Amino acid sequence: MSFRPRSLGISAAMLLTAALAYALAPTRQVSADSVALERMIPKQFGEWVEQRAALEQVPTQIGEGDAESGSRTGRTLYDQVLMRTYRRQSDGGMVMLALAYGRRQAQEFKIHRPELCYYSQGYEVRFVGRSHVALGPHFGVDSNLLLTRNRARYEPVTYWIRVGSQISLSAWETRWVIFKDGISGSVPDGILVRASSVVAAEADSASAFKLQKVFFADLYNSLSPAARAAIAGG
Amino acid sequence: MTETAPLPINGCGRGVRGESVQSQSWLAWLPVVAGVAILYLPAYRDLSNVSADTQGAAQIPVCLAIWIWLVWQKRAIFGIPDRAIPVSPLGWVLVAAAGLLYAVGRSQEFYQLEIGSQVPLFVGTVLVLLGQGALRRLWFLPVFLLLLIPVPGSLLNDILVPLKKVVSTIVADGLFACGLPIARDGVVLYIGRYQLLIADACSGLNSMIALTAIGCLYVYLRPGRGWLATSILLAAVLPIAFVANLVRVTGLVLITYLWGERAGQRFHDFAAIAEIIVAIGTLFLVEHAIRLSQGDRSMNRDVRA
């Protein structure tokens, strides 16, 4: 016969490979109605009240083209985005909150980190450090602190990203969690939790970071268990 | 092209019977090619769908076309010989390893593993069907396949953001030294009455990988130099890709300054081709400079070799 056994063997190995890839694909995913940000995040809690005239915020994704490409492939980067500006009644302190939730995280299709979103909007971004945010007496998460600047507008940012059941502070951590969960059969969801404030000078950034921490603790304190799990995994 | 080997190597001078053996040996590739199509057509389709988001895949269409052309150039070596080839356990191990890489990569949307599996698959298949001698003559093909692996978006960002800063600083300082009204504040360039975002102006830096691939190909396709000249040329590929990008960003800034923002945007489309021409031209000049500086000595060595 004209087909050699060895070349048939190699093509058989390739068919087996295709089947194995199919079998290994993760199938479990978070149900569509498990997170509803608009309902879960109160407009008023503790001393904080949502401002009617919201401050303009940096988007949670890089560029505008991404949303289009997402819809072309039948996939959107985020299922829900919530952006609000809160004001503390006692002293007028303002914090902008941005939440971006995606139900299916993938290696090359996952939550955009604020570093790059701010950068692509023309902000200069400086990484200040990592900081623990105490959300309750026995619970807290690690966060990244950024100092961004667009001409005269200084904007200190505190953020973290939850992927599956873990908090991730770098793209590589996120990739590892997605891979680990995927191999064990499930597609993790993910959420970006970002707070920022506009200040007049770099020197004011320390107090802004402090205010953002208080804001997160107050917010967490007012949330239902499901909402707590959604934003901080616990 | 110096290595265009004549097509029917193993059919040579065997008359009619030899030719029929020849055609059989090509048919034996059919199951393999079908398998490759089943595995990698969906892989490249998915990759092109997400590549708007992951610009690390920008080099793939160019490199894939070049790779297929290279295979065509080497087609004589792919004729499966009549004589028995020693069984290659290593070849089968590589085929199996490629299968594992592919299955994990495809199921987890891990494109680097999925596309990268082509390298062990190619090496393994050549070892099993053609033997070690053929692999030695085809070594450049699996190496070139490495260039098809998409760069992870996160790695690209880690490299590109600082690189963009360097490029914009050089361009701004250079044009300022030439007396143009240009200033840089953070990640924004101001020239005349226009302002340019560095992120947009430098977006073409993603083509660095494609340029590097084309440079390596150029070095490979022009043999007949000493190893010293080859390694100098190889070392020059990355800096040349960088310089080509500097030229592109400078061109973009100047065109925006002279003819307005719309002209600058239109230049974006043309810029990629201009960049490749600049890169190849520079490589050509570097090669000539090496020739000249080495003088007759190396020419003689080349002739003897």
Side-chain angles (χ1 to χ4, degrees), chain B residues 210-244:
Chain B
L211 282 184
T212 309
I214 291 168
C216 290
L217 183 74
Y218 178 88
V219 174
Y220 169 75
L221 289 181
R222 294 183 64 98
R225 289 172 307 250
W227 62 269
L228 183 66
T230 304
S231 35
I232 291 175
L233 266 185
L234 268 182
V237 165
L238 256 182
I240 285 173
F242 183 74
V243 169

Side-chain angles (χ1 to χ4, degrees), chain A residues 2-4 6-7 11 14 17 21 24-26 73 75 107-108 116 119 122-124 149 151 171-172 175 182-183, chain B residues 27-28 31-32 49 53-54 80-81 85 99 102 107-109 112 128 152-154 157-158 164 185-187 190 197:
Chain A
S2 51
F3 289 153
R4 315 266 168 120
R6 281 187 199 175
S7 78
S11 93
M14 287 196 273
T17 295
L24 281 177
T73 56
R75 255 172 146 177
Q107 293 293 336
E108 299 293 345
L116 297 166
Y119 175 79
Y123 281 75
E124 203 174 62
R149 179 180 74 91
R151 272 154 273 185
W172 302 105
R175 281 172 182 273
I183 284 291
Chain B
L27 212 56
V32 177
N49 279 344
D53 194 42
T54 61
I80 298 176
I85 291 165
Y102 176 92
S107 60
Q108 309 305 321
E109 296 183 36
Q112 289 73 34
V128 168
S154 321
N157 290 329
D158 288 351
K164 283 174 182 174
D185 177 24
V187 291
Y190 297 91
L197 266 186

Side-chain angles (χ1 to χ4, degrees), chain B residues 3 15 27 30 32 35 39 89 110 128 137 145 167 207 221-222 241 250 259 278 286 302 304:
Chain B
E3 288 206 51
L27 212 56
L30 212 66
V32 177
L39 292 186
F110 207 131
V128 168
R137 293 162 69 196
L145 275 180
V167 167
S207 63
L221 289 181
R222 294 183 64 98
T250 309
W259 294 297
V278 169
V286 170
D302 283 353
R304 256 182 275 129

Side-chain angles (χ1 to χ4, degrees), chain B:
Chain B
M1 264 313 298
T2 42
E3 288 206 51
T4 36
L7 174 58
I9 270 189
N10 39 3
C12 240
R14 268 192 245 163
V16 180
R17 200 187 144 267
E19 266 166 28
S20 79
V21 169
Q22 183 67 27
S23 68
Q24 276 189 0
S25 77
W26 292 110
L27 212 56
W29 280 103
L30 212 66
V32 177
V33 171
V36 167
I38 287 171
L39 292 186
Y40 294 103
L41 284 184
Y44 283 112
R45 187 199 58 210
D46 291 357
L47 196 57
S48 76
N49 279 344
V50 292
S51 70
D53 194 42
T54 61
Q55 300 189 307
Q59 83 280 16
I60 286 179
V62 177
C63 292
L64 198 59
I66 294 175
W67 193 80
I68 290 168
W69 178 78
L70 280 171
V71 170
W72 179 247
Q73 293 298 319
K74 302 277 179 191
R75 61 191 181 278
I77 305 172
F78 283 95
I80 298 176
D82 284 339
R83 60 189 165 74
I85 291 165
V87 175
S88 167
L90 177 64
W92 286 110
V93 167
L94 285 173
V95 169
L100 266 181
L101 282 179
Y102 176 92
V104 171
R106 173 125 194 99
S107 60
Q108 309 305 321
E109 296 183 36
F110 207 131
Y111 300 105
Q112 289 73 34
L113 297 183
E114 190 178 351
I115 301 294
S117 66
Q118 291 178 126
V119 179
L121 182 62
F122 180 86
V123 174
T125 305
V126 168
L127 280 177
V128 168
L129 294 181
L130 304 173
Q132 261 178 0
L135 183 62
R136 229 169 282 134
R137 293 162 69 196
L138 292 172
W139 67 271
F140 190 67
L141 287 173
V143 171
F144 199 78
L145 275 180
L146 288 173
L147 293 170
L148 285 170
I149 299 175
V151 183
S154 321
L155 182 64
L156 204 65
N157 290 329
D158 288 351
I159 299 169
L160 284 185
V161 172
L163 203 61
K164 283 174 182 174
K165 231 171 228 176
V166 173
V167 167
S168 63
T169 310
I170 295 175
V171 170
D173 291 357
L175 289 178
F176 184 75
C178 295
L180 284 157
I182 189 167
R184 193 178 64 91
D185 177 24
V187 291
V188 186
L189 286 174
Y190 297 91
I191 181 147
R193 59 202 174 88
Y194 301 104
Q195 40 172 301
L196 286 168
L197 266 186
I198 290 171
D200 295 336
C202 297
S203 58
L205 277 186
N206 304 334
S207 63
M208 287 279 288
I209 304 153
L211 282 184
T212 309
I214 291 168
C216 290
L217 183 74
Y218 178 88
V219 174
Y220 169 75
L221 289 181
R222 294 183 64 98
R225 289 172 307 250
W227 62 269
L228 183 66
T230 304
S231 35
I232 291 175
L233 266 185
L234 268 182
V237 165
L238 256 182
I240 285 173
F242 183 74
V243 169
N245 267 294
L246 274 185
V247 171
R248 193 186 56 82
V249 176
T250 309
L252 181 67
V253 172
L254 278 179
I255 285 173
T256 306
Y257 173 60
L258 294 173
W259 294 297
E261 253 162 327
R262 275 218 156 139
Q265 272 156 12
R266 235 173 281 146
F267 175 71
H268 257 293
D269 308 331
F270 165 72
I273 303 160
E275 220 178 304
I276 290 172
I277 294 171
V278 169
I280 296 284
T282 317
L283 260 182
F284 191 73
L285 287 179
V286 170
E287 193 189 12
H288 256 266
I290 295 171
R291 283 254 167 89
L292 285 179
S293 68
Q294 284 189 328
D296 287 338
R297 210 159 33 92
S298 87
M299 294 291 250
N300 289 344
R301 196 193 302 147
D302 283 353
V303 170
R304 256 182 275 129

